[in-house]
């Protein structure tokens, strides 16, 4: 190859580079590669209660006694809707053979409400939606005793259950 | 792609969501109720014109020489304690000059109009089997007079005695 041809090739190469540079600057951005991103937002619900123990001290004559503890319940969820239910078990006496205190003797009120709902079955007491910031609720519990209740210590549990609706 | 495989893949995607939708979370709170023994009692003196007095007076058959005192006691009591016994104790009647007495040998009690019983022994007005029940008692007093008793005014002393079975 002679020098003339080489010069010619170099010139063409230079022109080509200049031309491509202009082309890259002047034209719109073109997709040269793509990257797929999958973001997985897992469903979650967090539930917290201020205490997991309720106690009633029935010192006087039978009647309605409010628990010494007020339970603060906080629910945080990314579900579109969710529901909270409350249920209680019967309170069982420490001594075998003594009649239980039926679950419906326990009732509860939300925040400062004076209306107590008996904990007979699953009681729907709270519903949330995703676009609403959940606020803590205060639950007060009440136990109603009668003269027929044998003195002593009774134990049971209250279950707060949550149903998510994604 | 075979249709069964498509269904399988679809189910694989959908099932977790369905599971989450029907899944529940729950929080248990332990409940303890301490019921103490309790008793409620109220009583008052009844006079001749009291309805209770009149009703029970009509049921009493007095023998000659027996005197029905012009007053009695109306008692209401109730307990949740299975081991509680409450009795009426009558002391000797003492004259106002504190010299003469009428012994309990001569005093009889009409309990709710039933047959007269001696006042020498304490009269049970609340038994263990009465637990939880509201018991109402009308107690009238009869003196079996005899020539040795001196005329005059006498003071009566009644006591309600509460015992607890071991």
């Amino acid at each position: 190859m002679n020098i003339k041809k080489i010069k010619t090739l170099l010139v063409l190469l230079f022109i080509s580079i200049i031309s491509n540079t202009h082309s890259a600057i002047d034209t719109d951005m073109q997709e040269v590669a793509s990257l797929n991103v999958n973001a997985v937002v897992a469903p979650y619900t967090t539930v917290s209660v201020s205490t997991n123990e309720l106690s009633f001290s029935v010192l006087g004559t039978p009647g309605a006694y409010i628990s010494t503890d007020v339970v603060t319940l906080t629910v945080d969820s990314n579900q579109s809707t969710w529901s909270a239910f409350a249920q209680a078990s019967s309170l069982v006496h420490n001594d075998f053979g003594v009649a239980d205190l039926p679950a419906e003797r326990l009732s509860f009120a939300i925040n400062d409400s004076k209306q107590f709902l008996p904990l007979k079955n699953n009681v729907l007491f709270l519903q949330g939606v995703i676009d609403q910031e959940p606020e803590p609720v205060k639950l007060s519990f009440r136990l109603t005793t009668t003269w027929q209740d044998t003195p002593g210590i009774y134990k049971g549990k209250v279950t707060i259950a949550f149903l998510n609706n994604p | 792609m075979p249709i069964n495989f498509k269904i399988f893949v679809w189910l694989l995607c959908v099932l977790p969501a369905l599971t989450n939708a029907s899944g529940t979370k729950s929080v248990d709170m332990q409940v303890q109720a301490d019921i103490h023994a309790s008793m409620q009692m109220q009583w008052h003196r009844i006079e001749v014109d009291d309805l209770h007095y009149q009703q029970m007076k009509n049921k009493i058959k007095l023998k000659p020489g027996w005197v029905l005192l012009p007053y009695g006691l109306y008692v209401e009591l109730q307990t949740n304690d299975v081991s509680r016994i409450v009795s009426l104790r009558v002391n000797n009647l003492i004259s106002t000059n504190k010299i003469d007495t009428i012994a309990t040998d001569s005093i009889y009690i009409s309990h709710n109009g039933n047959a007269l019983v001696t006042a020498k022994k304490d009269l049970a007005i609340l038994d263990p089997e009465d637990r939880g029940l509201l018991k109402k008692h009308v107690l009238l007093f009869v003196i079996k007079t005899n020539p040795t008793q001196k005329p005059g005014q006498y003071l009566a002393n009644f006591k309600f005695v509460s015992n607890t079975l071991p």
Side-chain angles (χ1 to χ4, degrees), chain A residues 43 45 47 52-56 58-61 79 143 147-162 164 166, chain B residues 17-18 20-40 78-82 131-134:
Chain A
T45 301
V47 179
N52 56 5
E53 286 183 1
L54 293 172
S55 61
F56 297 91
V58 182
L59 285 167
T61 54
Q79 307 298 293
L143 174 68
W147 284 106
Q148 282 73 38
D149 300 331
T150 303
I153 293 175
Y154 295 80
K155 288 180 180 174
K157 68 177 180 182
V158 170
T159 302
I160 307 288
F162 298 88
N164 291 324
Chain B
L18 289 176
N20 190 55
S22 61
T24 55
K25 264 190 163 188
S26 65
V27 178
D28 284 343
M29 290 179 287
Q30 301 304 314
V31 181
Q32 178 168 308
D34 188 1
I35 298 181
H36 292 249
S38 172
M39 194 184 79
Q40 175 178 268
Q78 198 167 21
T79 184
N80 63 355
D81 190 356
V82 74
R131 187 184 69 82
L133 303 175
L134 175 63

Side-chain angles (χ1 to χ4, degrees), chain A residues 109-124:
Chain A
I110 302 166
N111 293 329
D112 295 323
S113 170
K114 300 291 179 195
Q115 187 186 359
F116 280 81
L117 306 167
L119 282 162
K120 194 172 182 182
N121 293 312
N122 266 322
V123 183
L124 173 64

Side-chain angles (χ1 to χ4, degrees), chain B:
Chain B
M1 188 182 288
I3 192 158
N4 284 346
F5 184 73
K6 283 183 179 175
I7 291 171
F8 172 75
V9 171
W10 181 81
L11 281 173
L12 209 64
C13 298
V14 166
L15 267 180
L18 289 176
T19 307
N20 190 55
S22 61
T24 55
K25 264 190 163 188
S26 65
V27 178
D28 284 343
M29 290 179 287
Q30 301 304 314
V31 181
Q32 178 168 308
D34 188 1
I35 298 181
H36 292 249
S38 172
M39 194 184 79
Q40 175 178 268
M41 178 178 179
Q42 56 182 352
W43 66 273
H44 63 269
R45 176 176 158 145
I46 52 174
E47 307 292 339
V48 176
D49 56 354
D50 188 283
L51 185 63
H52 292 116
Y53 186 98
Q54 291 296 328
Q55 286 174 338
M56 296 308 160
K57 179 191 171 186
N58 293 335
K59 294 182 179 180
I60 301 171
K61 291 176 182 171
L62 294 173
K63 293 178 183 175
W66 294 35
V67 177
L68 179 65
L69 295 184
Y71 56 85
L73 297 172
Y74 178 78
V75 186
E76 278 187 9
L77 70 170
Q78 198 167 21
T79 184
N80 63 355
D81 190 356
V82 74
S83 59
R84 187 69 65 95
I85 296 174
V86 178
S87 307
L88 173 73
R89 180 172 295 170
V90 180
N91 293 328
N92 294 340
L93 302 187
I94 301 172
S95 63
T96 48
N97 61 13
K98 297 184 180 174
I99 296 171
D100 305 310
T101 60
I102 296 176
T104 52
D105 296 6
S106 303
I107 304 172
Y108 291 83
I109 306 167
S110 166
H111 184 194
N112 289 338
N114 294 328
L116 298 174
V117 293
T118 179
K120 285 191 290 186
K121 295 179 182 175
D122 291 349
L123 176 69
I125 56 174
L126 189 74
D127 285 327
E129 58 262 31
D130 297 330
R131 187 184 69 82
L133 303 175
L134 175 63
K135 301 294 290 184
K136 298 177 180 178
H137 304 279
V138 177
L139 303 160
L140 303 184
F141 304 94
V142 173
I143 307 293
K144 188 180 175 184
T145 57
N146 64 62
T148 61
Q149 293 164 353
K150 304 245 176 97
Q153 276 199 319
Y154 288 81
L155 298 174
N157 190 330
F158 306 109
K159 288 178 182 171
F160 294 103
V161 182
S162 176
N163 288 317
T164 304
L165 291 174

